[in-house]
Every structure is written in C-alpha cells, then in structure tokens.
Amino acid sequence: QVQLVESGGGLVQAGGSLRLSCAASGRIFSINAMGWYRQAPGKQRELVARFIRSGRRDVADSVKGRFAISRDNAWNTVYLQMNSLKPEDTAVYFCNVQVLTGSLVNDYWGQGTQVTVSS
C-alpha cells in the first residue's frame, strides 16, 4: 500500500502565498512521476506541477512563474510553493504519485487539501 498525506492548505488573500507538503510512505520502488493536481468546483482535475522520471519538471502554463515544485533527495516528500495567488487558484489540491511495477503503472492520490484565495 502507498499513502500520501497533504498539508498546508488554507485561506489566503489574493497576492499571498502558501506552501503545500506531501509525505509519501509505503512500497514505492520505482516512481514514474510525483507532484500536484488540483480540482475546482465543477471543473476537471488538472495538472499543476510534477516531477517526471527523467527528473524534469512539468509545470502548467497557468501557474508557471508563480508556483515552484521541489522535493527531497529520496522522493519521500514533495512541496508546492505558491506565490502571487489568484482567486482562480481556488481548488482542492491533490498529491499524486505514479508507481511503476514492471510495465504496470498505478496512480495513488492523497485526500486533498483545500486552497481558497479571496479577492
């Protein structure tokens, strides 16, 4: 089993900052990708930022230049530093990890943390 626990969400005014954390545990031997998605009310879940297997960052255009993803060397924790927040950033933010077992890819998700940006 794989467990992901997010923290750091909350209420902030437009222009403010928040830092999200995700702690991973369980049987994780090979990671294809690890990072953050978000889902606003009535919207589909979308990628925010993630690390992919090559080590490169994959960041959504809507947050590029404002958000930064980072991790520890063991891939046990991933962070999302969110600056210059806008009301349209309001969503539930989910930590995600894709685990490789041979040719099989499994997605694991945290329970989510609410981010609300007021104007």
Side-chain angles (χ1 to χ4, degrees):
Q1 60 275 10
V2 176
Q3 294 184 1
L4 302 173
V5 180
E6 304 104 330
S7 62
L11 175 64
V12 66
Q13 290 187 330
S17 298
L18 286 172
R19 184 176 175 86
L20 307 183
S21 298
C22 173
S25 62
R27 292 177 59 84
I28 305 174
F29 298 109
S30 183
I31 295 176
N32 186 62
M34 187 175 186
W36 295 92
Y37 290 70
R38 67 185 181 186
Q39 188 167 21
K43 303 291 185 180
Q44 292 186 328
R45 190 170 298 184
E46 64 178 359
L47 172 70
V48 179
R50 65 177 178 174
F51 288 99
I52 59 177
R53 184 167 51 180
S54 67
R56 294 166 56 187
R57 293 171 173 85
D58 189 5
V59 182
D61 288 340
S62 61
V63 305
K64 196 169 296 182
R66 299 188 297 120
F67 294 7
I69 189 169
S70 60
R71 60 170 176 83
D72 65 2
N73 293 142
W75 296 65
N76 292 324
T77 310
V78 64
Y79 306 93
L80 186 69
Q81 178 66 47
M82 304 185 293
N83 299 322
S84 301
L85 282 161
K86 304 175 181 179
E88 50 262 47
D89 295 317
T90 295
V92 178
Y93 284 70
F94 296 92
C95 184
N96 166 264
V97 62
Q98 291 183 347
V99 179
L100 292 174
T101 306
S103 62
L104 182 65
V105 179
N106 289 116
D107 275 288
Y108 297 90
W109 299 89
Q111 288 190 310
T113 184
Q114 175 70 229
V115 171
T116 302
V117 184
S118 65
S119 59

